[in-house]
Amino acid sequence: MPENTTEGGQRRRTFLKTAGGVATVGIAGCGGNGEANAGDGSDSSSDADGSDSSSDGTSGNTLSLSIPEAANFDPVQIKGDGSQVVSDHVFSELLTLPADGLEPTAQLVTDYSVSENGRTYTFMLREDVTFHNGDELTADDVVYSWERLAASENSQEGENILEGGFQIAHDTTTETVDGEDQEVYEPGSLAVEAVDDYTLEVTLEQPFFDALFWFAYGSLSPVPEGIVGDIEGYDGEMDYAEFSSQSPVGTGPFQTESVETGTEVVLSAADDYHGDEPGPDRIAMQVVQNSDAIHQRAMNRNVQVFNVPNSRFDPSKVSIEETRNLGQEIGTYGPLENGETVNYSTWDEAYTAYFIFDCSRVEKPIRQALNYAVNQENFVEQGFRGVGEPAYHQAPPSVYPGGKEAYDQHAEENFPYGYREAQIDQARSVMEEAGYGENNRASLTLTLYNDRNPDAYSRIADLIRSKAQSVYVDLSIERAPFNTIIDEAVSGNLDMYTLGNGLEYPSPADMLKFGRPYDGNLVRWREDPSDASEQAAAAWEQVQNNLGPTEAEEEARSEAFIQMEEAIWEDAIYLTNYHPRGRQWWYDEVEAPIQPSGFHDRLYDSLTFE
């Protein structure tokens, strides 16, 4: 299960709308579908010594796991890690990502076609798929499910099909909200049609190069037509609370056997599942939110698959034996505290952690000097015990145009602040040219998470502070919860602070949309216009004008992405930190599936018992 080094957020869920629609910002979190450290010192449903008060699932063909909170499994809800790992097993999508790549393949469909204009997708559904309640999957179920995504008051994911580059065609109406006119979705207008029982036609507002990936996205998972009555025309067959938190109904390999909210979720293999028979008969997931208890459960062998908290991770115990095509590394780890040597794997989470400067509060020479003064390799080694990659671009290596090799080459040849080295002399020179020195020092405050990797960020902050001191910058350090940081950043009250972004789909556009100068951008670059900010704005416009699937449009996007990265470097609006890796450990009694990437669902249906 992934260590919570990705700032503990939601799978591929990378943005939130702040109160009043003031701004759209990157959420620190991605990919965390599984057993994660929810933060030291938090309450746990397990005893401090790791003993279990719930069912022991380590015998027979029952897989036992520890997960964080698990409360709502509705596909249209934003989920924390624990809820997401449950949903990944209960629901399935029209398309899915294969284990060896990021190009979606069929799951609930047999075939599809695309119109000449690139806007209309026609899907042929499989005729052998049933929901857990015995209903057959038809196109009407998909129409209902996606209407819920767009129109339900319970939906938190509607923007995935109503906004951005990927949009299903729809109508809007004007409504007055807080005294302002806003365009909102008109219920029933979504361009999704059941041509017949097994033919689904979907029309997009415009061609989009990664549309197939979105059709594989979890919030578009079908549920039975009319299962809940939260959209017009349906009374509902189940109470919403029962559906969302006790008995979700999907087409996935498992169904809920029992749910004790805050304590345990037990899944059992679904009858008449359309895919290969799952390896486990049951999956018993105990909710455990204290990192010491999580660790002790693993040491007591109460679980077969687990994580080792950062505070206990020793990189010298890792032995890598295999590297796969998406960058997954597989080997062994040990000995553990219980004397065992276990299996180990790590993968790319498609995530970038960074420090944001508010450009209206911190002038450019200070931003540049701090970039010169640090070495991102030290962030990884000292902060995250060597797990992850130093970050030089906003886009993670796996989605950078040309991949990791191109990422490294461009950074080595062009990163202006010292590739894998600090450049203290240059930092001092920039500050002195701006009038700073020992008798005229700059001051600013760095605000850190106190609820997400607090130990790692404390080490990194101390490193930045010591470097800042040597380049005429007095750096104060404050700590606050993630939500407080977001609120204060939106209000313009922070100089420099921790944040990060995990991608929803594998394209630099999903990261760089937060870097462009726009109204609502927390770096407030638009308030400090420059040649670089204008370059970034023009490059983003080039991206928006080339969202189609052709090679020429892909080339134009790639060119623009690099221009945006270099503009961000020029004005130093961020201090990049690192690209984290997901991690998983497992005992020899099971053969656990290797997680391909942070984009893939966290599934254990292919796990086998030795």
Side-chain angles (χ1 to χ4, degrees), residues 77 107 163 172 204 266 273 289 297 317 368 371 401 428 444 490 508 548 569 590 606:
Q77 284 272 320
Q107 181 166 234
E163 301 178 13
T172 62
L204 306 182
V266 179
Y273 174 56
Q289 300 202 60
R297 286 197 83 214
K317 295 183 178 182
Q368 289 182 313
N371 270 274
R428 290 182 181 135
L444 73 154
V490 168
W569 284 349
V590 298
S606 61

Side-chain angles (χ1 to χ4, degrees), residues 498-545:
T498 48
L499 208 60
N501 188 43
L503 303 191
E504 288 184 310
Y505 64 100
S507 168
D510 197 38
M511 172 67 74
L512 292 172
K513 66 186 178 186
F514 298 120
R516 73 192 194 281
Y518 67 99
D519 188 25
N521 185 318
L522 295 186
V523 299
R524 291 178 173 78
W525 205 3
R526 70 194 188 284
E527 296 176 10
D528 185 20
S530 64
D531 290 344
S533 66
E534 291 178 2
Q535 175 183 322
W540 183 253
E541 183 176 359
Q542 181 170 318
V543 171
Q544 298 308 297
N545 291 335

Side-chain angles (χ1 to χ4, degrees), residues 224-296:
E225 182 183 9
I227 193 70
V228 290
D230 56 357
I231 58 174
E232 186 176 346
Y234 295 95
D235 295 328
E237 300 170 11
M238 297 175 63
D239 179 76
Y240 179 73
E242 179 186 1
F243 168 78
S244 63
S245 61
Q246 292 294 317
S247 301
V249 182
T251 61
F254 290 86
Q255 59 192 27
T256 54
E257 178 179 312
S258 64
V259 177
E260 189 175 348
T261 302
T263 301
E264 186 180 51
V265 178
V266 179
L267 305 180
S268 58
D271 296 332
D272 299 323
Y273 174 56
H274 57 83
D276 294 334
E277 182 179 356
D281 295 328
R282 300 167 75 242
I283 304 179
M285 306 180 188
Q286 188 179 8
V287 177
V288 187
Q289 300 202 60
N290 179 279
S291 61
D292 290 334
I294 290 172
H295 185 67
Q296 195 58 53

Side-chain angles (χ1 to χ4, degrees), residues 560-581:
F561 293 146
I562 294 171
Q563 290 173 356
M564 290 188 72
E565 295 277 11
E566 292 180 348
I568 288 169
W569 284 349
E570 170 60 30
D571 276 5
I573 64 175
Y574 299 123
L575 176 61
T576 51
N577 185 355
Y578 85 126
H579 303 297
R581 305 273 299 176

Side-chain angles (χ1 to χ4, degrees), residues 53-81:
S53 58
S54 58
S55 59
D56 181 358
T58 60
S59 60
N61 275 9
T62 296
L63 172 65
S64 184
L65 305 172
S66 298
I67 61 171
E69 59 77 30
N72 190 306
F73 315 122
D74 185 353
V76 305
Q77 284 272 320
I78 297 173
K79 299 172 184 66
D81 291 347

